[in-house]
Amino acid sequence: MHTTRPSRLNLPRLTRTLSMAALSLCLLSPYFSASAQTTDSADNFPNRALNITVTFPPGGGTDILARLIGNALAETLGHAAVVENKPGASGNVGSKYVAERAPDGYSLLMVNSSFAINPAVFATMPFDPKKDFAPIINVAFIPSVLVVPANSPYKNLAELLTAAKPAKNDVSYGSCGNGTPQHLAGESLNIEAKTSITHIPYGGCGPALKDVVGGQIPLAIITASSAMSLIKGGKLRALAVTSAERFGQLPDVPTVAEQGYAGYQLSQWHGLLAPANTPVAIQQKLYEGINKALQSAVVKDKLESLGYTRANDGPAAFKKIIDSDIDKFVKLAKEIKLKVD
C-alpha cells in the first residue's frame, strides 16, 4: 500500500518569509500609528488650555485682542487660552519662541502687520516668517489716519501734498515709530505722490498724537483707534485714511486712494499663527473656533469700540496676505533704504 508522506517544512524559507512580514509591519506601523494619532488629536483637540504668545507688552491693541479672543475660546473650543507677553526686537523674540514650540495647536502667536515688516528692516531674522509658521486666521484690521491740528491751514490731502512737493518741502510727519506701519504708510505716500514729507519717528502713537494736537508737528499718521476720540472731539482734522475703503467709524473721511492715488492702501492687520507643521485638521479646528468667537456679540461690540474691523481670512487666505505684505515691505524698505537694527 502506498503511504503519502507528510511534506517537509522548508524552515529556512519559512523563516525568511516571517522575517519579511515582520519587517513590513515594522515599516508600516509608524504610518498607521501617526495616522491614528493625527486623527485622534484632531478629534479630541483641544483637551486643555491653549497658550497665546503676544509679541508686545500688556495693554496694547494686539494684547487686548489676544485676551478678548482667548477668553471667548472657552465657549467655542471648550478651553480658554492663557495669554503670555514676550516683547522684544519688534516682536521677533516672541515669534522665535512660538516657532520653536511643538506643532500641536496649543501654542499660538498673536501678531500684527509688523510681523511682515520685520523681514524688511532687520538684516537678520531668527526664524523664517514664511516657512516657520502656519497662519490660522486674520482676526481684525484697522487703518491709519492722516491727521493735522484743528487750526491747520491744510483742509484736505491735496493742499497738504502741494506744500510737500520737493521745491517747498514744508511738511513733516510724525509716526508711531521707525519701521511701523504708520511710518511705511507715509513713505508709500511720498513715493505715490512724488513728495518729500520728512519723517519724525516717535516712541509710540501717544507722543506723536500729543505733538500734533499741540501743533509741534504739522501732520501725524496714527492708528485710527488712537486718534478717533481727538478727531470726533474737534482737536484734530482727519485728511485721509490709509485703508482701501472708508473706515466705518469715520465715514466722512476719504481714503488716500479716493483722492487721486488709486491702489494705495496700508491697513494694519492682527492675526494668529501656529508653528509650522501643525496638522491641517487642527489648523481648521482652530480657525473655526476662533472665527465663531469673533461672531459673538461680546467680541463684536468690543472690536467696534476699539475701532477694529473684523476679518475672517482663513489659513490659506491669511498666508497669502502675509507673504504678499512681506514682499511689498521688503521692496519698499530697499527703495527708501530703511533699516532699524
Side-chain angles (χ1 to χ4, degrees):
M1 182 175 71
H2 177 74
T3 303
T4 303
R5 298 175 65 183
S7 59
R8 294 181 179 178
L9 289 174
N10 188 329
L11 290 177
R13 181 181 296 173
L14 179 61
T15 301
R16 287 198 302 271
T17 302
L18 291 173
S19 298
M20 290 297 292
L23 177 61
S24 298
L25 285 172
C26 288
L27 291 173
L28 288 171
S29 64
Y31 170 78
F32 289 119
S33 175
S35 299
Q37 186 177 11
T38 299
T39 303
D40 184 61
S41 297
D43 288 343
N44 297 327
F45 178 85
N47 56 28
R48 55 187 168 88
L50 286 74
N51 181 277
I52 298 178
T53 297
V54 178
T55 58
F56 299 98
T62 307
D63 177 70
I64 292 171
L65 286 176
R67 294 177 189 279
L68 181 65
I69 292 166
N71 290 333
L73 291 182
E75 293 293 326
T76 62
L77 287 178
H79 292 274
V82 176
V83 174
E84 185 177 11
N85 299 85
K86 285 189 176 294
S90 296
N92 286 342
V93 171
S95 297
K96 180 178 184 292
Y97 171 76
V98 174
E100 296 172 347
R101 303 290 287 176
D104 56 10
Y106 288 95
S107 296
L108 300 176
L109 179 69
M110 185 80 190
V111 292
N112 63 31
S113 47
S114 294
F115 177 85
I117 294 173
N118 285 347
V121 297
F122 284 91
T124 58
M125 295 282 289
F127 54 86
D128 188 326
K130 287 187 177 183
K131 295 180 179 179
D132 290 346
F133 296 92
I136 301 299
I137 185 170
N138 181 15
V139 171
F141 59 88
I142 191 165
S144 294
V145 59
L146 282 69
V147 291
V148 296
N151 60 356
S152 170
Y154 309 124
K155 301 295 190 296
N156 54 55
L157 185 61
E159 291 180 0
L160 173 79
L161 295 179
T162 297
K165 292 296 180 182
K168 294 186 176 182
N169 197 23
D170 291 337
V171 183
S172 59
Y173 75 99
S175 79
C176 304
N178 203 30
T180 61
Q182 294 71 41
H183 174 201
L184 297 188
E187 296 307 318
S188 295
L189 182 60
N190 268 334
I191 292 169
E192 292 287 331
K194 296 179 173 58
T195 51
S196 54
I197 308 174
T198 303
H199 177 230
I200 303 173
Y202 283 79
C205 292
L209 271 174
K210 181 180 178 181
D211 276 7
V212 73
V213 169
Q216 280 79 25
I217 53 175
L219 168 70
I221 303 179
I222 304 290
T223 54
S225 56
S226 299
M228 196 155 42
S229 62
L230 293 168
I231 295 168
K232 292 185 175 181
K235 293 185 177 181
L236 289 174
R237 180 185 303 139
L239 303 184
V241 292
T242 63
S243 47
E245 299 177 354
R246 291 199 182 196
F247 181 47
Q249 298 195 43
L250 296 171
D252 297 329
V253 180
T255 66
V256 172
E258 282 182 84
Q259 300 182 71
Y261 303 96
Y264 178 98
Q265 78 89 20
L266 202 158
S267 290
Q268 184 167 313
W269 48 257
H270 298 72
L272 284 158
L273 318 177
N277 300 319
T278 298
V280 173
I282 289 180
Q283 291 183 43
Q284 185 62 27
K285 199 162 187 179
L286 283 167
Y287 166 68
E288 290 171 358
I290 297 165
N291 190 39
K292 188 175 180 181
L294 291 172
Q295 297 173 34
S296 74
V298 172
V299 174
K300 287 169 70 175
D301 289 347
K302 186 64 174 179
L303 287 176
E304 185 175 344
S305 71
L306 293 170
Y308 289 99
T309 299
R310 184 170 61 89
N312 64 352
D313 303 290
F318 191 26
K319 179 169 177 54
K320 286 183 180 179
I321 290 171
I322 294 172
D323 289 354
S324 174
D325 275 2
I326 289 172
D327 295 341
K328 176 173 70 176
F329 292 137
V330 166
K331 180 181 177 182
L332 176 59
K334 287 180 179 177
E335 191 165 352
I336 65 174
K337 297 179 174 59
L338 172 65
K339 290 292 176 186
V340 299
D341 63 336

